[in-house]
Amino acid sequence: MRWTRCLRVCAVGAVAVSALFSPSAGDAAESNGGRLTDLVNPFIGTQNEGNTFPGAAVPFGMVQLSPDTGHSTGYDYTQHRIRGFSLVHLSGVGCAIGGDLPVLPTTGDVTETDYAKYAATFRHADEQASPGYYRVRLDSGVEAELTATARTGVQRYTFPATHTANVLLNAGQALHKNVSSSVEILDDRTVRTQITGSGFCRSTRPYTLYTVTRFNRPFTRHGTWYQDSITPGATKSSGPGRNGAYVTFDTTGDRTVEATTALSYVDAHGADVNLATTQGRSFDGLREDARRAWEDRLDGVRVQGGGDTLRTTFYSSLYRSFLAPNIGSDADGRYTGWDQRIHRARGFTYYQNWSLWDTYRTQCQLLGLLAPREARDMAISVLRIDEEGGWLPKWGYGTVETNIMSGDPVTPYLTNAHQQGLLKGYEERAYRALRKNADGVPPADTMYVGREANHEYIAHGFAPYIKGRPYAKPGDSDYHHGASVTLEYALSDAMLAQMARDLGHHADAARYAARSRNYRNIFDASTGFFRARDASGAFTGQADPARSEGFHEGTAWQYQWLVPQDLRGLIGLLGGEKAANDRLDAFFAYDRLLKDPAGTARRVWVNGPYAYYNADKYNPQNEPDLIAPYTYLSTGQPWKTTDVVHAALTLFTDGPTGMTGNDDLGTMSAWNVFSSIGLFPVQPGYGTWGLSTPVFDRVDLVLDPAYYPRGGLTITAPGTSDRDRYVQSVGIDGADYDRTYVTTDTLRRLGTLEYTVGARPSGWGTAPAAAPPPLK
């Protein structure tokens, strides 16, 4: 199933819940020789600000070689001009980043140096993509094919018969701000560049990368450009403006040109080392290697049942969940640390790119489950950031901290790694870094913001909301989001308390556990909602919770459920279970949802990737309330979790608009994966997994026996459907189980998780003892 033009998937509109369970014409993977990669549509999310990319990458690869059409994060399906195929793209981010070294094949004389002017037109009918491969026939008559390895991007261009078949290598333009660049033609096959860029969201801190491109045949002519000046025959160009090189081939005989571009964040030698890893390999061989790498990843989850659309959205989400974090070390183990010095990774692979405010909620748990060896190296990489740069990261891009988003997301990220057994041998090192982060504030002369409002939070029990306070450092300020930051700090304190207790630091555990109840300090009893407080302690901003201030990308309605460490305490503040359930029902428009699930999800819930504010309904487009549907597991009405989750799943479709908001390095995709298999991390940072009805009859997870001794987990829900979607009973390894959650320790011993489903809600999971317990 290649995705030529996406003829079927481009239909946009509401998808009925029944589409999740529509009868299948047979397992699509089996009908394609069992290839799960044929179930992946890389174009999903490329329209309506999903901000995904359709180009070539391998799992967690350093390089993501993909077309740029003028959109700030790379590719927009509604646009039809390609400016170049560039090396770096982050899946689903909301700010411009990457797009370094866009390369474009052209014909005729080289007369333009601005890629917005020389961009090539194309039609979606001439475009296709699958994991590890992208192809497009440009209207110029040139066919471009892309594949990738862990540290290189590989291009194959088929030109018309011409004496002027060009490849333009643009070192001076990118998706973000290009600070400076240089380009050098080394010989008649090789071009080297050095590129420094910056500008992710409000960040201004630069990073540098190095590339070397090697062609499979000599070029006949070459030249460089700077700004608007083109110099035929020149071999070098550098400066802060538009910089680039062109090379020209004679394709009157052999019409094909192949090029391999290697990337390094260390130095030019690192790029050479990475280039050598592909020496002697053909394009087709590398493409097959990339496909096989994806096949191996996707084969960790095998599903039975569901319709074609459901399986496509599921495996496409699973694919996107494995795109990041990204390899940061070269093939020789060297990497640039956050102290801007060169280090060498010994015994592990160094990773980078940390959208932690997003990924701590879903994606890191999925990687810990399905890719624990890589997830362990990722956690070790985060510890290296602290050891080499001085503090833990918040939102790291490449070799620098951007300080984007707020709160303390690194704590639940690392405590989750601890809970999933990924930090063995590193527990105390991780705890020391987390303790420093939780109790302090990075010095003013560092690039880190950390817990910026920590002094006030520790002294007074809340982070103040100070509207208009000048930014102390580039990025986001916790003081601008005092209410949500208080909730985020408190959640992190709760998770750190559990880790402290596990490691025998009991005094610390008690201190952090007490701080985890600080969410109560911003509860306004007069409104019944959380509310920002100013520096004096007074509640501030509008009392209407839908128009509240001091919440980052959300409102008090959406943030009210971000107390996973103590939902019983929150329920008490709201007036008990009935009041909490009434509030949840209003939030999800539950009565309307029962009558029209897909319509309610699309027209009543928050709709729009950046519609963060002035809303009193669920926002499935963004992170703050991702766990909200699972709150019903703690209020005695677990069947409503299934109703809400299955309505939300209809928002994931198999066309370009089929993402809910920005994917944020796999966060939304991982939500889809977990919610589809009936297992969800309801206490991010701790080993508690909520249970809800799967949408597949059977799911087989292949698990690493070094971390999960049974080597796999089978989840069954025979007959699950739009009608029969309610849990009647649950069994674990054949024994009845009446709780709405399991723990990571249970998962390690578990072989089967069996759901019995029916057409009406049952009494399963409704007893008070069935709910996930609060963390103490």
Side-chain angles (χ1 to χ4, degrees):
M1 185 178 0
R2 293 289 165 80
W3 293 95
T4 303
R5 194 177 183 176
C6 305
L7 288 175
R8 175 170 63 87
V9 304
C10 292
V12 178
V15 179
V17 169
S18 59
L20 294 176
F21 304 99
S22 57
S24 170
D27 189 302
E30 291 300 325
S31 67
N32 284 277
R35 299 201 319 187
L36 295 172
T37 49
D38 290 333
L39 294 175
V40 174
N41 176 5
F43 290 103
I44 292 175
T46 58
Q47 186 175 336
N48 197 27
E49 304 300 323
N51 296 344
T52 59
F53 63 86
V58 296
F60 313 121
M62 181 185 290
V63 170
Q64 306 84 37
L65 186 60
S66 189
D68 296 326
T69 62
H71 186 267
S72 63
T73 60
Y75 185 93
D76 181 349
Y77 196 83
T78 65
Q79 301 186 40
H80 297 87
R81 298 177 77 240
I82 292 175
R83 297 181 175 189
F85 306 103
S86 64
L87 289 174
V88 179
H89 298 83
L90 296 188
S91 182
V93 298
C95 295
I97 194 66
D100 300 286
L101 193 63
V103 176
L104 189 71
T106 69
T107 59
D109 294 336
V110 178
T111 60
E112 295 287 353
T113 65
D114 183 345
Y115 66 5
K117 295 180 180 179
Y118 65 65
T121 58
F122 74 103
R123 297 176 301 156
H124 291 306
D126 297 322
E127 184 183 39
Q128 64 180 204
S130 59
Y133 177 72
Y134 173 87
R135 183 200 69 82
V136 64
R137 181 176 176 83
L138 304 173
D139 291 345
S140 64
V142 180
E143 180 178 86
E145 297 175 90
L146 313 177
T147 192
T149 72
R151 297 174 176 88
T152 71
V154 189
Q155 307 121 70
R156 179 165 65 189
Y157 302 125
T158 303
F159 288 92
T162 177
H163 296 289
T164 55
N166 313 304
V167 178
L168 311 184
L169 298 96
N170 191 332
Q173 291 182 288
L175 299 174
H176 54 96
K177 180 181 179 181
N178 188 290
V179 177
S180 66
S181 62
S182 65
V183 60
E184 181 179 6
I185 299 173
L186 300 181
D187 55 41
D188 62 0
R189 292 174 183 250
T190 314
V191 181
R192 187 184 303 285
T193 72
Q194 178 177 329
I195 300 168
T196 299
S198 71
F200 179 60
C201 290
R202 287 160 296 283
S203 174
T204 60
R205 192 169 297 275
Y207 71 95
T208 298
L209 55 81
Y210 305 82
T211 79
V212 60
T213 301
R214 180 76 172 171
F215 292 90
N216 70 327
R217 52 187 282 202
F219 37 84
T220 58
R221 284 179 288 163
H222 64 267
T224 65
W225 71 78
Y226 182 71
Q227 299 291 61
D228 294 322
S229 178
I230 301 172
T231 307
T235 60
K236 294 182 180 181
S237 179
S238 63
R242 290 196 307 276
N243 244 326
Y246 67 89
V247 297
T248 302
F249 298 85
D250 185 337
T251 57
T252 56
D254 184 355
R255 295 173 53 201
T256 301
V257 174
E258 294 186 12
T260 301
T261 300
L263 172 64
S264 172
Y265 288 84
V266 178
D267 54 22
H269 174 69
D272 290 338
V273 168
N274 294 337
L275 181 66
T277 63
T278 63
Q279 188 172 2
R281 301 297 309 283
S282 70
F283 180 94
D284 289 330
L286 294 172
R287 173 188 172 185
E288 177 59 21
D289 287 348
R291 188 199 68 80
R292 192 180 305 114
W294 280 114
E295 200 68 45
D296 290 344
R297 280 291 166 202
L298 299 176
D299 197 44
V301 185
R302 282 274 179 168
V303 302
Q304 296 179 20
D308 290 344
T309 297
L310 179 58
R311 286 195 299 277
T312 293
T313 59
F314 178 81
Y315 278 106
S316 297
S317 290
L318 188 61
Y319 160 77
R320 292 189 300 272
S321 299
F322 291 129
L323 286 171
N326 304 104
I327 294 170
S329 52
D330 291 335
D332 61 4
R334 295 186 310 145
Y335 65 91
T336 297
W338 283 29
D339 55 1
Q340 303 309 305
R341 297 177 179 176
I342 297 173
H343 304 270
R344 191 180 297 273
R346 301 184 188 278
F348 77 105
T349 299
Y350 181 80
Y351 288 87
Q352 58 192 22
N353 299 336
W354 307 102
S355 183
L356 295 172
W357 187 82
D358 309 289
T359 59
Y360 88 80
R361 306 166 199 264
T362 57
Q363 193 248 8
C364 75
Q365 292 90 344
L366 187 66
L367 297 189
L369 188 68
L370 299 178
R373 295 177 188 269
E374 292 83 357
R376 173 178 167 83
D377 284 358
M378 292 168 189
I380 293 171
S381 299
V382 169
L383 296 182
R384 286 295 183 96
I385 290 173
D386 172 76
E387 292 168 1
E388 294 159 2
W391 289 82
L392 289 167
K394 180 169 284 189
W395 210 121
Y397 178 70
T399 61
V400 300
E401 172 64 89
T402 71
N403 292 318
I404 297 304
M405 304 313 295
S406 56
D408 177 22
V410 72
T411 293
Y413 170 81
L414 283 175
T415 62
N416 174 76
H418 167 67
Q419 292 291 329
Q420 291 192 274
L422 307 177
L423 290 179
K424 289 182 179 178
Y426 288 83
E427 294 94 338
E428 288 296 340
R429 290 167 66 175
Y431 181 73
R432 286 194 299 271
L434 287 168
R435 188 178 188 274
K436 177 178 64 176
N437 175 74
D439 291 343
V441 177
D445 62 351
T446 69
M447 65 179 172
Y448 304 85
V449 168
R451 286 197 184 200
E452 186 184 14
N454 218 17
H455 293 317
E456 296 90 340
Y457 172 81
I458 293 173
H460 306 299
F462 65 92
Y465 167 53
I466 306 177
K467 188 174 183 178
R469 185 182 190 273
Y471 288 96
K473 299 177 183 179
D476 285 309
S477 173
D478 284 356
Y479 289 107
H480 294 175
H481 313 286
S484 58
V485 162
T486 299
L487 297 174
E488 300 268 12
Y489 286 5
L491 183 155
S492 295
D493 283 337
M495 305 311 161
L496 187 54
Q498 309 312 305
M499 184 175 181
R501 187 172 292 111
D502 288 348
L503 299 179
H505 303 293
H506 297 294
D508 281 354
R511 181 163 57 89
Y512 293 132
R515 281 174 24 183
S516 75
R517 303 298 186 256
N518 280 345
Y519 72 88
R520 296 172 174 267
N521 295 331
I522 62 165
F523 186 79
D524 183 356
S526 69
T527 65
F529 284 85
F530 296 125
R531 193 173 174 191
R533 297 174 68 173
D534 63 21
S536 72
F539 288 114
T540 187
Q542 296 196 37
D544 180 354
R547 299 176 63 82
S548 52
E549 297 180 48
F551 293 86
H552 203 170
E553 296 188 357
T555 69
W557 271 99
Q558 290 146 9
Y559 270 96
Q560 67 186 312
W561 315 111
L562 194 62
V563 191
Q565 72 271 24
D566 187 25
L567 282 177
R568 289 182 188 173
L570 174 63
I571 291 167
L573 288 179
L574 297 179
E577 278 193 359
K578 183 181 184 307
N581 281 318
D582 289 345
R583 181 78 62 84
L584 284 163
D585 290 351
F587 182 61
F588 292 113
Y590 184 74
D591 289 343
R592 296 180 65 175
L593 182 145
L594 285 180
K595 298 174 184 177
D596 183 10
T600 300
R602 290 189 175 274
R603 295 187 292 273
V604 180
W605 291 353
V606 175
N607 189 10
Y610 303 115
Y612 299 138
Y613 302 107
N614 303 322
D616 65 353
K617 291 296 183 285
Y618 179 48
N619 184 358
Q621 314 279 337
N622 205 32
E623 281 75 16
D625 52 358
L626 281 184
I627 61 174
Y630 293 89
T631 306
Y632 284 118
L633 300 182
S634 295
T635 64
Q637 297 184 339
W639 66 90
K640 292 183 178 179
T641 288
T642 293
D643 289 328
V644 173
V645 167
H646 286 203
L649 287 172
T650 66
L651 297 172
F652 292 85
T653 66
D654 60 356
T657 61
M659 273 296 307
T660 57
N662 302 158
D663 195 29
D664 291 320
L665 271 66
T667 300
M668 295 299 183
S669 293
W671 188 95
N672 183 26
V673 171
F674 276 133
S675 295
S676 296
I677 68 175
L679 193 66
F680 191 88
V682 294
Q683 290 180 321
Y686 192 66
T688 308
W689 304 81
L691 305 179
S692 66
T693 310
V695 298
F696 298 108
D697 290 333
R698 177 176 174 136
V699 179
D700 289 292
L701 305 178
V702 179
L703 305 179
D704 189 330
Y707 296 87
Y708 298 91
R710 297 287 290 268
L713 172 64
T714 296
I715 302 171
T716 58
T720 184
S721 68
D722 177 24
R723 186 181 73 92
D724 294 325
R725 67 177 183 268
Y726 296 111
V727 178
Q728 306 298 300
S729 63
V730 171
I732 57 173
D733 288 339
D736 288 342
Y737 190 78
D738 60 1
R739 297 181 182 179
T740 62
Y741 71 96
V742 295
T743 66
T744 296
D745 286 342
T746 300
L747 281 183
R748 289 195 180 102
R749 302 189 301 270
L750 197 57
T752 59
L753 178 60
E754 308 115 12
Y755 290 89
T756 302
V757 297
R760 291 181 174 81
S762 71
W764 174 83
T766 58
L775 303 181
K776 298 179 179 178

